[in-house]
């Protein structure tokens, strides 16, 4: 199934550039303003307020981890790498940093619009995927809790099917989800065993 590219509204969006003063910056600012973005330039450090921007352009040739106020790979906004060097160390840093798009230097009179679109689409996909992974981890944890709760109920002389049915009945009686009921049962057993160890 094809994924349709959503064209973001760029008019009024804010871009931050982390690059020493240079002709590349001048060319980049010109292109960004031409498509309606407001631009802030910083060097050598990126202020924490940059988190509120819509896009970040960063000079990979001279960048280092301490310049940005977040951990590598955790940029809270779409990032576009400005690349001039193909030195292995710089490419390795770029991969660790996790940029969403790139523009080769020297920056000319085009390339910014497509980089903005690619960066936004890649960033949105990355954030969506991270949310799906978190959801799957939560569901896996809940599934394990259900298995534990069923085992606790089955240990009282019930078959596995009967234990599942009792768990379902408890969830209905407590007016909570199946998973929440399982969490209560497991938590109650942990509390009881904790009390027993304290008084033992």
């Amino acid at each position: 199934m094809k994924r349709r590219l959503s064209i973001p509204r760029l008019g009024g969006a804010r871009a931050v550039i982390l690059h020493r003063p240079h002709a590349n910056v001048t060319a980049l600012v010109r292109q960004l303003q031409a498509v309606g973005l407001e631009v802030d330039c910083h060097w050598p450090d990126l202020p924490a307020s940059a988190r509120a921007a819509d896009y970040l352009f960063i000079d990979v040739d001279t960048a280092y981890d301490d310049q940005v106020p977040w951990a590598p790979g955790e940029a809270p906004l779409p990032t576009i790498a400005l690349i001039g060097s193909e030195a292995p160390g710089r490419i390795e840093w770029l991969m660790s940093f996790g940029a969403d798009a790139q523009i080769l230097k020297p920056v000319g009179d085009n390339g910014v619009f497509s980089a903005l679109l690619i960066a936004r689409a890649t960033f949105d996909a990355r954030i969506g995927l991270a949310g799906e992974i978190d959801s799957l981890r939560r569901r896996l944890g809940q599934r394990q809790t259900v298995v534990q709760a069923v085992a606790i109920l089955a240990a009282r002389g019930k078959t596995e099917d009967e234990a599942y049915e009792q768990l379902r009945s408890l969830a209905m009686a407590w007016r909570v989800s199946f998973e929440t009921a399982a969490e209560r049962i497991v938590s109650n057993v942990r509390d009881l065993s904790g009390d027993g160890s304290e008084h033992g």
Side-chain angles (χ1 to χ4, degrees), residues 129-143:
L129 186 58
E132 287 178 28
I133 290 170
D134 285 344
S135 175
L136 287 170
R137 283 182 178 149
R138 249 189 334 271
R139 284 170 53 193
L140 180 59
Q142 289 175 333
R143 192 165 290 159

Side-chain angles (χ1 to χ4, degrees), residues 89-168:
R90 291 288 83 201
I91 301 300
E92 184 179 352
W93 187 90
L94 170 60
M95 292 174 68
S96 172
F97 181 76
D100 301 301
Q102 65 183 37
I103 295 176
L104 295 178
K105 296 192 291 185
V107 178
D109 293 329
N110 51 44
V112 165
F113 183 70
S114 60
L116 289 168
L117 297 185
I118 291 167
R120 171 51 67 186
T122 304
F123 177 80
D124 290 347
R126 180 160 49 86
I127 295 301
L129 186 58
E132 287 178 28
I133 290 170
D134 285 344
S135 175
L136 287 170
R137 283 182 178 149
R138 249 189 334 271
R139 284 170 53 193
L140 180 59
Q142 289 175 333
R143 192 165 290 159
Q144 291 170 341
T145 302
V146 168
V147 170
Q148 289 175 340
V150 168
I152 289 165
L153 295 173
R156 298 173 184 168
K158 297 184 180 301
T159 67
E160 190 175 303
D161 287 342
E162 289 170 341
Y164 268 107
E165 195 51 50
Q166 184 180 5
L167 180 57
R168 185 173 277 103

Side-chain angles (χ1 to χ4, degrees), residues 10-11 13 15 17 23-39 41 55 57 80 82 102-117:
L10 298 176
I17 301 172
N24 283 316
V25 176
T26 305
L28 184 57
V29 168
R30 188 169 54 245
Q31 285 192 64
L32 289 168
Q33 290 176 338
V35 294
L37 276 78
E38 299 170 10
V39 185
C41 298
Y55 298 92
F57 290 79
I80 299 161
L82 301 168
Q102 65 183 37
I103 295 176
L104 295 178
K105 296 192 291 185
V107 178
D109 293 329
N110 51 44
V112 165
F113 183 70
S114 60
L116 289 168
L117 297 185

